[in-house]
Amino acid sequence: MAIDTVGALPDENGKQRLIVLEHAGKIDPEDIEAYMAVGGYATCSDVLQSMTPAEVIEQIRNSGLRGRGGAGYPVGLKWSTVAKAHGSQKYIVCNGDEGDPGAFMDRSIMEADPHRVLEGMMIAAYAVGASRGYLYVRAEYPLAIKRLKHAIKQAEKHGLLGINISGTPFSLSLQVRLGAGAFVCGEETALLASIEGRRGQPRPRPPYPAESGLWGCPTLINNVETYANIVPILREGAEWFASIGTERSKGTKVFALSGRIARTGMIEVPMGTTLREIIYDIGGGIPDGRTFKAVQTGGPSGGCIPAAHIDTPVDYESLKQVGSMMGSGGMIVMDDSSCMVDVAKYFLEFCMTESCGKCVPCRVGTAQMYGLLEKISEGRASLDDLALLEDLCDMVANTSLCGLGQAAPNPVISTLRYFRDEYMAHIVDKTCPAHVCPVSRKEAVR
Ligand SMILES: Cc1cc2nc3c(=O)[nH]c(=O)nc-3n(C[C@H](O)[C@H](O)[C@H](O)COP(=O)(O)O)c2cc1C
């Protein structure tokens, strides 16, 4: 049996709720029979036999499910837009690009339960009227790719994919497409360009992919975890799903917990669980007698949430309120040995090198911001440089073409909001309080 996959971290304090990860690490992901033995494909079969596409969309809408790929867009609304869009050919796409530092949720879901993702896509394709689809997965995820391809072959053999599925008029073919590992290719319009064989660069929206996506046809694009939520919603009912979580953020969220924390790995918690519960009750707290300093959520587009906000519930709105975002689910914990200027510089360097270069604000702006952060970390910056950095944050966020540039300043903005004293120490006192930055090495020589 090929269960070399990870499930969720142990749940000693009963804080987790496994919906997406219910089978992760428990069934053999390479055996369709194992998936069927736990009820797999029964939901899709029921849907095809007894529900109209409009009824499926209504259920998803009533569940309150929001996209798990970052922006939290209502899934039912997107599905109904694609269903209503005109076009003889419609496509369905699964975004498995997952490129943010510290994120490994989607990879683990694809590796641990590939049939769950496929079944979610089948139901979605039926609901919106798509007959062809792609799973776009970064090439650095060879095990996920192997298992998805194998799962597609098995599903085809069982007549679950192909022409006239289960004797109904519904037909669907799915293929895996490999991404070459560019962060920007996770952005939906860049991803679609990449599938079409063009350079993976974003384009202005509208038109949104729901109306004009792959080869100009209406295209539904959702994240891996979003699709993995579809089966339980239709199996247990929209009301059941809507009873989990908070008023505006329903269901659970899978997070990849990493950094300075006793237990690292995947977790799944109801929306509204606090950061404290995640870090201490599930993650086991901060090791080596150190103290918690901040947690970065939302990857390079997110922000650093300081200890003062450790009781923030994880839901779309609360995380935004404290200057971060849900993002796709990376959660990097930092202790008092981290320098927040260095953290901001790390994330900004990531965005600068991953910028596709198509728009000037992102291509040039992130490089200028990085240069200023370098000056600060080396003790060469003035207060004028700090003012310029803040101006650039504004300019890059407000004028970039896509979400990469628009969100690139977030780690700088959030660290300036909560840890301005550390920036001042580097600029005015020429010292790095955590002894991380080059300025502290100069200090040692002085
Ligand atoms: C720079 C950038 C990278 C992104 N990377 C991903 C990704 O790796 N996976 C993902 O699902 N969405 C990613 N997104 C969001 C997608 O554009 C899109 O909103 C998402 O796939 C829609 O699915 P959802 O509604 O189910 O969340 C990214 C967006 C940006 C701007």
Side-chain angles (χ1 to χ4, degrees), residues 38-61:
V38 291
Y41 290 114
T43 308
C44 183
S45 171
D46 287 350
V47 164
L48 295 185
Q49 303 294 339
S50 63
M51 290 175 82
T52 64
E55 284 168 345
V56 176
I57 294 175
E58 190 60 16
Q59 282 286 309
I60 298 301
R61 194 197 287 269

Side-chain angles (χ1 to χ4, degrees), residues 372-393:
L372 288 167
L373 283 168
E374 230 175 8
K375 259 176 113 176
I376 295 172
S377 74
E378 287 168 8
R380 295 185 289 112
S382 66
L383 288 173
D384 285 346
D385 288 320
L386 184 62
L388 182 59
L389 179 64
E390 293 190 278
D391 279 354
L392 281 169
C393 283

